[in-house]
Amino acid sequence: MISPGASRVSTPISACSGCRRRGPAMFRKILIANRGEIACRIARTCQRLGVAVSTVHSTADADALHVKVIGESIGIGGAPASESYLRIDAVIAAAKTTGAEAIHPGFGFLAENTDFARAVEAAGLVFIGPTPDTIERLGDKASAKREAVAAGVPTVPGSEAPSEDRLEVEGIVRRLALPVMLKAAAGGGGKGMRAIATYDGLADEIESAMREARNAFGDAGLIVEKLILQGRHIEVQIAGDGDGNVIHLFERECTLQRRHQKLIEEAPAANLAPGLRQRILDDAVRLGRRLRYRGVGTVEFIVAGTDYYFLEVNPRLQVEHPVTEMVTGIDIVEAMLRIAAGEGLPVKQDEVFCQGHAIEARICAEDPNDSFMPSTGELAHVRFPSSGIRVETGVESRSIVTPYYDSMLAKLIAYAASRDQALDQLDRALGETSIFGVITNRDFLRRLLALPATRAATFHTRLIDERIDALVTVTGAIDPEPLAVGAYFWMMRQRATASSNPWQSGSLTGWQMAAADDGLSPIPILHLETAGDSAEIRFAPLQPDGSMLIGVDDVKIQVRLSPLADDMFAATVNARCETVRIVQQDQAIFVHDPRRAQTMTAIPYLRYISTAAEISGELRAPMTGVVLKINVTVGSRVKAGDPTVVMESMKMELRIASEVDGVVTAVHFKPGETVERNAVVAVVEPDLIPQ
């Protein structure tokens, strides 16, 4: 078997006789035309094989981790992907400049672009992937569907061809019985997809899907298919040598999705009847043979009971490929390199075995408690498990999460002898992961892993939507304990820089701190804000044993912190002792205890009460992004809830709605302009409320 060469893999994977070091046919140097974690992951295999690597970067990624890890990178343009990672001419010029013989596209960006694959070959370079002809035949979901039909693979009822005509798409939707799915014909990753369960607002949904598809893939074409509500998403990893020899590397379960984006993937699929599994594997291989498939690819199916239907073929490396590597021991990136170099398939079908169970979780910069709004900013601190887990990431402490690219920060992959063990291992790894500075879906993923349907593998693709209330944090009473821990940390940092008697320091309160009977200051010293809530903090003097009584509003909590190493502290909170991580960046304090990771903003109380801002009627951008559409002009009347501005961030459309009834008095941006987080995009003068 071929070692994946993964960082932090708990179980070593030995090499088989089919695994060879760089031979005469292997490339001397390749260019990785991608960014982030996948660029780092591809580079790792290349370095193990003795293949030199170079990469590319946009202006936003000049200091990115993949640039540092790879060591040689060419700047190819501005921050938007259309000005950099999607520029075919710039990528090929970078390959020529660095002396690369071949280009690996990774996933996303140009990975499934026929013009790019042809341009690479025309430049005398090798495209590490399928032939341009194969990419073209699979280049949109409609043509791929025709190939599946020709191969005798069952397909979902729906469109025969993609369309960019809104009225034509609407007509197809109305001819099919609801519910249906709109799909961007030219790409994947959940972009340009809309589930349609009602005809209300259909035209807007079609236009939105087309815009998203055009922005993500440069092609607004949509297909329409019957929506299978209670299905499972099963995909098969295939590999072919281009001469008709195709094998499978078994299947993956990718059913746990939100907005058609996968969150948890595993291999093999659980509770899949052996006969059904074999039919799916056989169909995937048969389709690959019909295509004379070269390289690696993924054939995706939707499974409903004992029936299954072809969805699409992704002619590239998949985000979730590590789970297949873990259960087969085959380095899929190495297989891609060897096939592209003309060495053929590295293994035969009867040499491929599936052992153990692997599960992957995608950690994304998004807020599940705010409709999964993307989160951007500087990562104040990043720490992953140091052992027992495979980590694939493109970020580190001080990395900048921008609005220009996908929100995924890292993938954690657990491998164990059984599925239950792998689930437990992944949950522990998520609990040990700290990412401070942006909001992530880490806690959401832990709740998802704990659902009975997840543990029993009785899930379907709509599970997250159906159980969303159990998966997001229910707004309720503020938990005072992490705030008390954060407040203690803040005060000890203040003491380190305050006067010799900080309890008399006007820099902290403005008043002399005469203590009450319990020692707490009579007035608040600190204002803490977290997750839409806030609390006023009072402090008692530090005790000889290092503990301190802290008042969080009306709750009194005894806290003591003892430094362990770096960001680690031994915390005693009342009678409970535990290990916590704490990091402060400017006003932000990040506290990660065994139950949660919480961000709080610390504002000295005097400063807080002296600051007031009138924001009524101001419509602000929830995050940095690009304006797509302005629905109002100065003088327009709007009602509360009316969408005024449509913007895009991290390839997702965001609609900014008025919070009041009134008249638009100002519009500060135009379509195409970049808006910074919290910028006022428009102003609505509220209607006067009758007295």
Side-chain angles (χ1 to χ4, degrees), residues 51-374:
V51 177
V53 288
S54 58
T55 189
V56 293
H57 64 270
S58 68
T59 54
D61 276 343
D63 296 319
L65 183 61
H66 79 277
V67 174
K68 300 175 185 177
V69 166
I70 292 173
E72 181 181 25
S73 185
I74 304 296
I76 55 172
S82 60
E83 298 176 12
S84 50
Y85 296 107
L86 292 174
R87 287 185 54 202
I88 293 174
D89 58 338
V91 171
I92 292 176
K96 293 281 192 179
T97 298
T98 62
E101 302 167 290
I103 297 179
H104 197 308
F107 48 66
F109 297 131
L110 295 170
E112 298 176 67
N113 188 301
T114 305
D115 292 338
F116 178 59
R118 289 201 171 107
V120 170
E121 292 189 349
L125 304 170
V126 176
F127 180 75
I128 302 175
T131 65
D133 176 68
T134 298
I135 297 174
E136 186 168 53
R137 292 164 71 183
L138 301 172
D140 65 62
K141 293 177 176 65
S143 61
K145 191 173 182 179
R146 290 193 293 270
E147 295 290 348
V149 170
V153 179
T155 59
V156 180
S159 296
E160 296 294 326
S163 175
E164 296 186 34
D165 185 324
R166 181 184 64 78
L167 293 178
E168 182 180 7
V169 172
E170 185 171 342
I172 297 170
V173 171
R174 293 184 182 277
R175 286 195 297 274
L176 288 172
L178 295 179
V180 301
M181 179 70 76
L182 305 178
K183 293 183 178 181
K191 304 300 185 293
M193 296 181 70
R194 298 290 187 278
I196 306 298
T198 174
Y199 295 124
D200 294 341
L202 176 58
D204 289 341
E205 292 289 356
I206 293 172
E207 288 183 354
S208 178
M210 285 183 172
R211 272 198 308 271
E212 197 168 89
R214 184 183 295 109
N215 291 337
F217 314 115
D219 184 342
L222 301 181
I223 65 169
V224 185
E225 289 185 342
K226 182 69 178 172
L227 177 60
I228 297 173
L229 292 174
Q230 297 286 320
R232 293 173 63 183
H233 188 121
I234 305 294
E235 62 186 33
V236 179
Q237 180 75 66
I238 62 170
D241 62 4
D243 293 325
N245 298 309
V246 177
I247 63 172
H248 69 76
L249 306 183
F250 291 94
E251 84 286 350
R252 295 185 286 257
E253 174 92 56
C254 304
T255 296
L256 290 172
Q257 306 175 8
R258 182 197 58 80
R259 292 178 181 166
H260 319 296
Q261 298 235 29
K262 303 161 187 173
L263 290 177
I264 303 288
E265 301 104 347
E266 57 184 298
N271 297 341
L272 193 63
L276 179 59
R277 170 182 284 113
Q278 194 59 54
R279 293 200 305 276
I280 293 172
L281 296 175
D282 290 345
D283 274 354
V285 170
R286 185 164 61 254
L287 179 56
R289 286 173 180 160
R290 170 181 167 75
L291 296 165
R292 298 182 68 82
Y293 198 88
R294 184 190 76 186
V296 306
T298 300
V299 186
E300 302 197 352
F301 298 89
I302 188 78
V303 177
T306 59
D307 297 323
Y308 63 94
Y309 305 96
F310 168 83
L311 290 178
E312 62 179 324
V313 178
N314 287 308
R316 55 169 169 81
L317 189 66
Q318 289 280 95
V319 174
E320 59 273 19
H321 75 276
V323 294
T324 295
E325 292 183 327
M326 300 305 289
V327 297
T328 64
I330 293 174
D331 183 329
I332 294 174
V333 172
E334 180 177 348
M336 295 183 77
L337 293 170
R338 294 199 180 281
I339 293 168
E343 295 186 14
L345 290 170
V347 291
K348 299 176 182 178
Q349 187 67 73
D350 61 7
E351 296 175 325
V352 181
F353 302 97
C354 182
Q355 297 178 322
H357 205 94
I359 306 180
E360 173 181 289
R362 303 187 188 190
I363 300 178
C364 299
E366 59 188 16
D367 185 359
N369 301 327
D370 187 15
S371 301
F372 294 89
M373 187 72 69

Side-chain angles (χ1 to χ4, degrees), residues 376-393:
T376 58
E378 181 178 274
L379 299 180
H381 186 72
V382 175
R383 183 190 288 268
F384 296 108
S386 58
S387 62
I389 202 79
R390 175 171 171 175
V391 179
E392 299 288 356
T393 188

Side-chain angles (χ1 to χ4, degrees), residues 501-524:
N501 186 357
W503 299 106
Q504 300 276 325
S505 174
S507 66
L508 293 182
T509 67
W511 292 290
Q512 187 139 349
M513 293 171 50
D517 292 342
D518 54 15
L520 288 173
S521 57
I523 52 91

Side-chain angles (χ1 to χ4, degrees), residues 639-659:
K639 291 186 176 296
D642 286 351
T644 61
V645 177
V646 180
M647 57 184 289
E648 183 193 53
S649 185
M650 291 184 174
K651 304 180 183 178
M652 187 180 78
E653 282 197 5
L654 311 172
R655 299 177 184 181
I656 303 174
S658 176
E659 295 182 357

